[in-house]
Coordinates of all heavy atoms in Angstrom, one line a residue:
L781 N 98.6 94.4 97.3 CA 98.7 95.8 97.3 C 100.2 96.2 97.1 O 100.5 97.2 96.3 CB 98.1 96.6 98.5 CG 98.0 98.0 98.5 CD1 97.2 98.6 97.4 CD2 97.3 98.5 99.7
L782 N 101.0 95.6 97.9 CA 102.5 96.1 98.0 C 103.0 95.8 96.6 O 103.8 96.7 96.0 CB 103.2 95.4 99.0 CG 103.1 95.8 100.4 CD1 103.7 94.8 101.5 CD2 103.7 97.2 100.7
E783 N 102.7 94.6 96.0 CA 103.3 94.2 94.7 C 102.9 95.2 93.7 O 103.7 95.7 92.8 CB 102.9 92.9 94.4 CG 103.6 91.7 95.2 CD 103.1 90.5 94.7 OE1 102.7 90.3 93.6 OE2 103.1 89.6 95.6
R784 N 101.6 95.5 93.6 CA 101.2 96.5 92.6 C 101.7 97.9 92.8 O 102.1 98.6 91.8 CB 99.7 96.6 92.6 CG 98.9 95.3 92.4 CD 98.8 95.1 90.8 NE 98.2 93.8 90.6 CZ 97.0 93.7 90.1 NH1 96.2 94.6 90.1 NH2 96.6 92.4 89.8
L785 N 101.7 98.4 94.0 CA 102.4 99.7 94.3 C 103.8 99.8 93.9 O 104.3 100.9 93.4 CB 102.3 100.1 95.6 CG 100.8 100.5 96.2 CD1 100.8 100.7 97.6 CD2 100.3 101.7 95.6
N786 N 104.5 98.7 94.1 CA 105.9 98.7 93.7 C 106.2 98.8 92.2 O 107.4 99.1 91.7 CB 106.5 97.3 94.2 CG 107.2 97.5 95.6 OD1 107.7 98.6 95.9 ND2 106.8 96.5 96.4
K787 N 105.2 98.6 91.4 CA 105.4 98.6 89.9 C 105.5 100.1 89.4 O 106.0 100.4 88.3 CB 104.2 98.0 89.2 CG 104.3 96.5 89.4 CD 103.1 95.8 88.7 CE 103.2 94.3 88.9 NZ 102.2 93.5 88.1
Y788 N 105.1 101.1 90.2 CA 105.0 102.6 89.9 C 106.4 103.1 90.1 O 106.9 103.1 91.3 CB 103.9 103.3 90.6 CG 102.6 102.8 90.2 CD1 101.9 101.9 91.1 CD2 102.0 103.1 89.0 CE1 100.6 101.5 90.7 CE2 100.7 102.6 88.7 CZ 99.9 101.8 89.6 OH 98.9 101.4 89.2
K789 N 107.0 103.5 89.1 CA 108.4 104.0 89.3 C 108.5 105.4 90.1 O 109.5 105.7 90.6 CB 109.0 104.2 87.9 CG 109.2 103.0 87.1 CD 109.9 103.1 85.8 CE 110.0 101.7 85.3 NZ 110.1 101.5 84.0
N790 N 107.4 106.1 90.2 CA 107.5 107.4 90.9 C 107.0 107.2 92.4 O 107.0 108.2 93.1 CB 106.5 108.4 90.3 CG 105.1 107.9 90.3 OD1 104.8 106.7 90.3 ND2 104.1 108.9 90.1
L791 N 107.0 106.0 92.7 CA 106.6 105.7 94.2 C 107.9 104.8 94.8 O 108.3 103.8 94.2 CB 105.5 104.9 94.4 CG 104.1 105.4 93.8 CD1 102.9 104.4 94.1 CD2 103.8 106.7 94.6
T792 N 108.1 105.1 96.1 CA 109.0 104.2 96.8 C 108.1 103.6 97.9 O 107.5 104.5 98.7 CB 110.2 105.0 97.5 OG1 110.8 105.6 96.5 CG2 111.0 104.1 98.2
V793 N 108.0 102.3 97.9 CA 107.2 101.6 98.8 C 107.9 100.9 99.9 O 109.0 100.3 99.6 CB 106.3 100.6 98.1 CG1 105.3 99.8 99.1 CG2 105.5 101.2 96.9
Y794 N 107.6 101.2 101.2 CA 108.3 100.6 102.4 C 107.5 99.4 102.8 O 106.3 99.4 103.0 CB 108.5 101.6 103.3 CG 109.4 102.8 102.9 CD1 108.7 103.8 102.2 CD2 110.6 102.7 103.1 CE1 109.6 104.8 101.8 CE2 111.5 103.7 102.6 CZ 110.9 104.8 102.0 OH 111.7 105.8 101.5
P795 N 108.1 98.2 103.0 CA 107.4 97.1 103.5 C 106.7 97.3 104.9 O 107.2 98.2 105.6 CB 108.5 96.1 103.6 CG 109.8 96.7 103.1 CD 109.6 98.1 103.0
S796 N 105.6 96.5 105.0 CA 104.8 96.7 106.2 C 104.1 95.3 106.6 O 103.8 94.6 105.6 CB 103.8 97.8 106.0 OG 102.9 97.8 107.1
K797 N 104.1 95.1 107.8 CA 103.4 93.9 108.2 C 102.0 94.3 108.9 O 101.3 93.5 109.4 CB 104.2 93.1 109.3 CG 105.5 92.6 108.6 CD 106.2 91.7 109.6 CE 107.5 91.1 108.9 NZ 108.2 90.3 109.7
A798 N 101.7 95.6 108.8 CA 100.4 96.1 109.4 C 99.4 96.2 108.2 O 99.7 95.9 107.1 CB 100.6 97.4 110.0
N799 N 98.3 96.9 108.5 CA 97.3 97.0 107.4 C 97.5 98.4 106.7 O 96.5 98.8 106.2 CB 95.9 96.9 108.1 CG 95.5 98.0 108.9 OD1 96.4 98.7 109.6 ND2 94.3 98.5 109.1
F800 N 98.6 98.9 106.8 CA 99.0 100.2 106.1 C 100.3 100.2 105.3 O 101.1 99.3 105.7 CB 98.7 101.4 106.8 CG 99.6 101.4 108.0 CD1 101.0 101.9 107.8 CD2 99.3 101.0 109.2 CE1 101.8 102.0 108.9 CE2 100.2 101.1 110.3 CZ 101.5 101.6 110.1
V801 N 100.4 100.9 104.3 CA 101.7 101.0 103.6 C 102.3 102.4 103.5 O 101.4 103.4 103.4 CB 101.4 100.5 102.1 CG1 102.7 100.6 101.3 CG2 100.9 99.1 102.1
L802 N 103.5 102.6 103.8 CA 104.1 103.9 103.7 C 104.8 104.0 102.4 O 105.5 103.2 102.1 CB 105.1 104.1 104.9 CG 105.8 105.4 105.1 CD1 104.8 106.5 105.4 CD2 106.9 105.3 106.0
I803 N 104.5 105.1 101.7 CA 105.1 105.3 100.4 C 105.7 106.6 100.3 O 105.1 107.6 101.1 CB 104.1 105.1 99.3 CG1 103.0 106.1 99.2 CG2 103.5 103.7 99.3 CD1 102.2 106.2 97.9
K804 N 106.7 106.8 99.6 CA 107.3 108.3 99.2 C 106.9 108.4 97.7 O 107.1 107.5 96.9 CB 108.8 108.1 99.4 CG 109.4 109.6 99.1 CD 110.9 109.5 99.5 CE 111.4 110.8 99.3 NZ 112.8 110.8 99.6
A805 N 106.3 109.6 97.5 CA 105.9 109.7 96.1 C 106.2 111.1 95.7 O 106.3 112.2 96.4 CB 104.3 109.9 96.2
E806 N 106.7 111.1 94.3 CA 107.1 112.3 93.8 C 105.7 113.1 93.7 O 104.7 112.5 93.3 CB 107.6 111.9 92.4 CG 108.9 111.3 92.4 CD 109.4 111.0 90.9 OE1 108.8 111.4 89.9 OE2 110.3 110.1 90.8
Q807 N 105.8 114.4 94.0 CA 104.6 115.3 93.9 C 103.5 114.7 94.8 O 102.4 114.5 94.5 CB 104.2 115.4 92.5 CG 105.2 116.0 91.5 CD 104.7 116.3 90.1 OE1 103.6 115.8 89.9 NE2 105.5 117.0 89.3
C808 N 103.9 114.5 96.0 CA 103.0 113.8 96.9 C 101.7 114.6 97.3 O 100.6 114.1 97.3 CB 103.8 113.7 98.3 SG 102.9 112.7 99.6
Q809 N 101.9 115.9 97.4 CA 100.7 116.8 97.6 C 99.8 116.8 96.3 O 98.5 116.7 96.6 CB 101.1 118.3 97.9 CG 99.9 119.1 98.4 CD 99.2 118.6 99.6 OE1 99.9 118.2 100.6 NE2 97.9 118.3 99.6
K810 N 100.3 116.8 95.2 CA 99.5 116.7 94.0 C 98.8 115.3 93.9 O 97.6 115.3 93.6 CB 100.3 116.9 92.8 CG 99.6 117.1 91.5 CD 100.6 117.3 90.2 CE 99.9 117.4 88.9 NZ 100.7 117.6 88.0
L811 N 99.5 114.3 94.2 CA 98.9 113.0 94.3 C 97.7 112.9 95.4 O 96.6 112.4 95.1 CB 99.8 111.9 94.5 CG 99.3 110.5 94.6 CD1 98.6 110.0 93.4 CD2 100.4 109.5 95.0
N812 N 98.0 113.4 96.6 CA 96.9 113.4 97.6 C 95.8 114.2 97.2 O 94.6 113.8 97.4 CB 97.5 114.0 98.8 CG 96.6 114.1 100.0 OD1 96.0 113.1 100.3 ND2 96.3 115.3 100.4
D813 N 95.9 115.5 96.6 CA 94.8 116.2 96.1 C 94.1 115.4 95.1 O 92.6 115.5 95.1 CB 95.3 117.5 95.4 CG 95.9 118.4 96.4 OD1 95.7 118.3 97.7 OD2 96.7 119.3 96.0
Y814 N 94.6 114.8 94.1 CA 94.0 114.0 93.1 C 93.2 112.8 93.6 O 92.1 112.6 93.4 CB 95.0 113.4 92.1 CG 94.3 112.5 91.0 CD1 93.7 113.1 89.9 CD2 94.5 111.3 90.9 CE1 93.1 112.4 89.0 CE2 93.9 110.4 90.0 CZ 93.3 111.0 89.0 OH 92.6 110.3 88.0
L815 N 93.8 112.1 94.6 CA 93.1 111.0 95.4 C 91.9 111.5 96.1 O 90.8 110.9 96.1 CB 94.1 110.2 96.3 CG 95.1 109.4 95.6 CD1 96.1 108.9 96.5 CD2 94.6 108.4 94.7
L816 N 92.0 112.7 96.8 CA 90.9 113.3 97.5 C 89.7 113.6 96.6 O 88.6 113.4 96.9 CB 91.4 114.5 98.3 CG 92.0 114.3 99.7 CD1 92.5 115.5 100.2 CD2 91.1 113.5 100.6
A817 N 90.1 114.1 95.4 CA 89.1 114.4 94.4 C 88.3 113.2 94.0 O 87.2 113.2 93.6 CB 89.7 115.2 93.3
K818 N 89.0 112.0 94.1 CA 88.4 110.7 93.8 C 87.7 110.0 94.9 O 87.3 108.8 95.0 CB 89.3 109.9 93.2 CG 89.9 110.3 91.9 CD 89.4 109.5 90.8 CE 90.1 110.0 89.5 NZ 89.0 109.8 88.4
S819 N 87.7 110.8 96.1 CA 87.1 110.4 97.5 C 87.9 109.2 98.0 O 87.4 108.3 98.6 CB 85.6 109.9 97.3 OG 84.9 110.9 96.8
I820 N 89.3 109.2 97.7 CA 90.2 108.3 98.3 C 91.0 109.0 99.3 O 91.7 109.9 99.0 CB 91.0 107.5 97.1 CG1 90.2 106.9 96.2 CG2 92.0 106.6 97.8 CD1 90.9 106.3 95.0
K821 N 90.9 108.7 100.6 CA 91.7 109.3 101.7 C 92.9 108.7 102.1 O 92.8 107.4 102.2 CB 90.8 109.5 103.0 CG 89.5 110.4 102.6 CD 88.6 110.4 103.7 CE 87.4 111.3 103.4 NZ 86.5 111.3 104.5
V822 N 94.0 109.2 102.1 CA 95.3 108.8 102.6 C 95.7 109.7 103.7 O 95.2 110.8 103.8 CB 96.2 108.6 101.5 CG1 95.8 107.6 100.4 CG2 96.6 109.9 100.8
R823 N 96.7 109.3 104.3 CA 97.4 110.2 105.5 C 98.6 110.7 105.0 O 99.4 110.1 104.5 CB 97.5 109.2 106.7 CG 98.4 109.8 107.7 CD 97.7 110.7 108.6 NE 98.3 111.1 109.9 CZ 99.3 112.0 110.0 NH1 99.6 112.7 109.1 NH2 99.8 112.1 111.3
T824 N 98.7 112.0 105.0 CA 99.9 112.7 104.6 C 100.4 113.3 105.8 O 99.8 113.4 106.9 CB 99.6 113.9 103.6 OG1 98.6 114.8 104.1 CG2 99.1 113.3 102.2
F825 N 101.7 113.8 105.7 CA 102.4 114.2 106.8 C 103.0 115.7 106.7 O 103.4 115.9 105.5 CB 103.7 113.3 107.2 CG 103.3 112.0 107.5 CD1 103.1 111.1 106.4 CD2 102.8 111.5 108.7 CE1 102.8 109.7 106.6 CE2 102.5 110.2 108.9 CZ 102.4 109.4 107.9
N826 N 103.0 116.6 107.6 CA 103.6 118.0 107.5 C 104.7 118.0 108.1 O 105.3 119.1 108.0 CB 102.4 118.9 108.1 CG 101.2 119.0 107.3 OD1 101.2 119.0 106.1 ND2 100.0 119.1 108.0
E827 N 105.2 117.1 108.9 CA 106.4 117.2 109.6 C 107.6 117.2 108.6 O 107.7 116.6 107.5 CB 106.7 116.0 110.5 CG 105.7 115.9 111.6 CD 104.4 115.3 111.2 OE1 104.2 114.7 110.2 OE2 103.5 115.3 112.2
E828 N 108.7 118.1 109.0 CA 109.8 118.2 108.0 C 110.5 116.7 107.8 O 110.6 115.9 108.6 CB 111.0 119.1 108.8 CG 112.0 119.5 108.0 CD 111.5 120.3 106.7 OE1 110.5 121.2 106.9 OE2 112.1 120.1 105.5
G829 N 110.9 116.5 106.7 CA 111.4 115.1 106.3 C 110.4 114.1 105.9 O 110.7 113.1 105.5
M830 N 109.1 114.5 106.1 CA 108.0 113.6 105.9 C 107.0 114.0 104.8 O 106.0 113.4 104.5 CB 107.2 113.2 107.2 CG 108.1 112.3 108.1 SD 108.6 110.8 107.5 CE 106.9 109.9 107.6
K831 N 107.2 115.2 104.2 CA 106.3 115.9 103.4 C 106.1 115.1 102.1 O 105.1 115.3 101.4 CB 106.7 117.3 103.1 CG 106.7 118.2 104.3 CD 107.0 119.6 104.0 CE 107.0 120.3 105.3 NZ 106.0 121.2 105.6
D832 N 107.1 114.3 101.7 CA 106.9 113.5 100.3 C 106.3 112.0 100.6 O 106.2 111.3 99.8 CB 108.1 113.3 99.7 CG 108.7 114.6 99.3 OD1 107.9 115.5 98.9 OD2 109.9 114.8 99.0
F833 N 105.8 111.9 101.9 CA 105.3 110.6 102.4 C 103.9 110.5 102.4 O 103.3 111.6 102.9 CB 105.9 110.2 103.6 CG 107.5 109.7 103.5 CD1 108.4 110.6 103.5 CD2 107.8 108.3 103.2 CE1 109.7 110.3 103.4 CE2 109.1 108.1 103.0 CZ 110.1 109.1 103.1
M834 N 103.3 109.4 102.3 CA 101.8 109.2 102.6 C 101.7 107.8 103.1 O 102.3 106.9 102.8 CB 100.9 109.5 101.5 CG 101.0 108.7 100.2 SD 99.8 109.0 99.0 CE 99.9 110.8 98.7
R835 N 100.6 107.7 103.9 CA 100.2 106.2 104.4 C 99.0 105.9 103.8 O 98.0 106.6 103.8 CB 100.2 106.3 106.0 CG 100.0 104.9 106.6 CD 99.8 105.0 108.1 NE 98.5 105.6 108.3 CZ 98.1 105.9 109.6 NH1 99.0 105.9 110.5 NH2 96.9 106.5 109.8
I836 N 99.0 104.7 103.2 CA 97.7 104.2 102.6 C 97.3 103.0 103.5 O 98.1 102.1 103.7 CB 98.0 103.7 101.1 CG1 98.5 104.9 100.3 CG2 96.9 102.9 100.6 CD1 99.2 104.5 99.0
T837 N 96.1 103.0 103.9 CA 95.5 101.9 104.6 C 95.0 100.8 103.6 O 94.4 101.1 102.6 CB 94.3 102.3 105.4 OG1 94.8 103.4 106.4 CG2 93.7 101.2 106.2
A838 N 95.4 99.5 103.8 CA 94.9 98.5 103.0 C 93.4 98.3 103.3 O 93.0 98.1 104.5 CB 95.7 97.2 103.2
G839 N 92.6 98.5 102.2 CA 91.2 98.3 102.4 C 90.8 97.0 101.9 O 91.5 96.1 101.6
C840 N 89.4 96.9 101.5 CA 88.9 95.7 100.9 C 89.4 95.8 99.3 O 90.0 96.7 98.9 CB 87.4 95.7 100.9 SG 86.6 97.0 99.9
R841 N 89.2 94.6 98.8 CA 89.7 94.5 97.4 C 89.3 95.5 96.5 O 90.1 96.1 95.7 CB 89.2 93.1 96.8 CG 89.8 92.8 95.5 CD 89.4 91.3 95.2 NE 90.1 90.9 94.0 CZ 89.8 91.1 92.7 NH1 88.6 91.9 92.4 NH2 90.6 90.6 91.7
N842 N 88.0 95.9 96.5 CA 87.5 97.0 95.7 C 88.1 98.4 95.9 O 88.4 99.2 95.0 CB 86.0 97.2 95.6 CG 85.3 95.9 95.0 OD1 85.9 95.2 94.1 ND2 84.0 95.7 95.3
E843 N 88.3 98.6 97.3 CA 89.0 99.8 97.6 C 90.4 99.9 97.0 O 90.9 101.0 96.5 CB 89.0 100.2 99.1 CG 87.5 100.4 99.6 CD 87.5 100.4 101.2 OE1 88.3 99.6 101.8 OE2 86.8 101.0 101.6
N844 N 91.2 98.8 97.2 CA 92.5 98.7 96.7 C 92.6 98.9 95.2 O 93.5 99.6 94.7 CB 93.1 97.4 97.2 CG 93.3 97.3 98.6 OD1 93.3 98.4 99.3 ND2 93.6 96.1 99.1
I845 N 91.5 98.3 94.5 CA 91.6 98.4 93.0 C 91.2 100.0 92.6 O 92.0 100.5 91.8 CB 90.5 97.4 92.4 CG1 90.9 96.2 92.6 CG2 90.1 97.9 91.0 CD1 89.9 95.0 92.1
D846 N 90.4 100.6 93.4 CA 90.1 102.0 93.1 C 91.4 102.8 93.3 O 91.6 103.7 92.6 CB 89.0 102.5 94.0 CG 87.7 102.0 93.6 OD1 87.4 101.4 92.5 OD2 86.6 102.0 94.4
L847 N 92.0 102.5 94.4 CA 93.3 103.3 94.7 C 94.3 103.1 93.5 O 94.7 104.0 93.0 CB 93.8 102.8 96.0 CG 95.3 103.3 96.3 CD1 95.2 104.8 96.7 CD2 95.9 102.5 97.4
L848 N 94.5 101.8 93.2 CA 95.5 101.5 92.1 C 95.1 102.1 90.8 O 96.0 102.7 90.1 CB 95.7 100.0 92.0 CG 96.4 99.3 93.2 CD1 96.2 97.8 93.1 CD2 97.8 99.8 93.4
N849 N 93.9 102.1 90.4 CA 93.4 102.7 89.2 C 93.6 104.3 89.2 O 94.0 104.8 88.2 CB 91.9 102.4 88.9 CG 91.8 101.0 88.5 OD1 92.6 100.3 88.0 ND2 90.6 100.4 88.7
A850 N 93.3 104.9 90.4 CA 93.5 106.4 90.5 C 95.0 106.7 90.3 O 95.3 107.7 89.7 CB 93.0 106.8 91.9
I851 N 95.8 105.9 91.0 CA 97.2 106.2 90.9 C 97.8 105.9 89.5 O 98.6 106.8 89.0 CB 98.1 105.4 91.9 CG1 97.8 105.8 93.4 CG2 99.6 105.4 91.7 CD1 98.5 104.8 94.4
R852 N 97.3 105.0 88.9 CA 97.8 104.8 87.5 C 97.3 106.0 86.5 O 98.0 106.2 85.6 CB 97.2 103.4 87.0 CG 97.6 103.1 85.6 CD 97.1 101.8 85.0 NE 95.7 101.5 85.8 CZ 95.3 100.2 85.9 NH1 96.0 99.3 85.3 NH2 94.2 99.9 86.6
S853 N 96.3 106.6 86.8 CA 95.7 107.5 85.7 C 96.3 108.9 86.1 O 97.2 109.3 86.7 CB 94.3 107.6 85.9 OG 93.7 107.9 87.2

């Protein structure tokens, strides 16, 4: 998941040893809305300095593929 997310130029991916990935995304709220419309839930933040970040939980292979396909489109 980390390798694939790192291929997107509009995302900054932070390394993780847990089952989630923290990313900084251009137009984070727009991406979040799009993912929600595709029934893909991620964690966004409202705190100052964190509004461009989201946390993605690494799921099963099919969930990760769905997430990557949604981000690509």
Side-chain angles (χ1 to χ4, degrees):
L781 183 61
L782 284 172
E783 287 179 31
R784 296 278 176 101
L785 288 170
N786 273 315
K787 292 182 180 182
Y788 297 102
K789 294 181 176 149
N790 60 337
L791 302 179
T792 302
V793 181
Y794 296 88
S796 175
K797 294 184 181 185
N799 69 333
F800 61 85
V801 179
L802 184 68
I803 66 168
K804 183 175 183 180
E806 295 174 12
Q807 301 181 353
C808 187
Q809 187 58 52
K810 185 176 179 181
L811 176 58
N812 181 54
D813 294 343
Y814 180 75
L815 293 174
L816 280 175
K818 299 253 181 213
S819 299
I820 299 171
K821 296 179 183 176
V822 297
R823 166 80 160 89
T824 57
F825 303 92
N826 291 322
E827 294 83 7
E828 195 60 38
M830 293 293 290
K831 294 182 189 253
D832 293 334
F833 289 83
M834 64 175 55
R835 185 181 75 192
I836 299 172
T837 301
C840 68
R841 185 174 192 274
N842 288 339
E843 291 171 330
N844 292 342
I845 289 169
D846 290 344
L847 169 72
L848 292 167
N849 287 337
I851 290 174
R852 182 179 24 202
S853 55

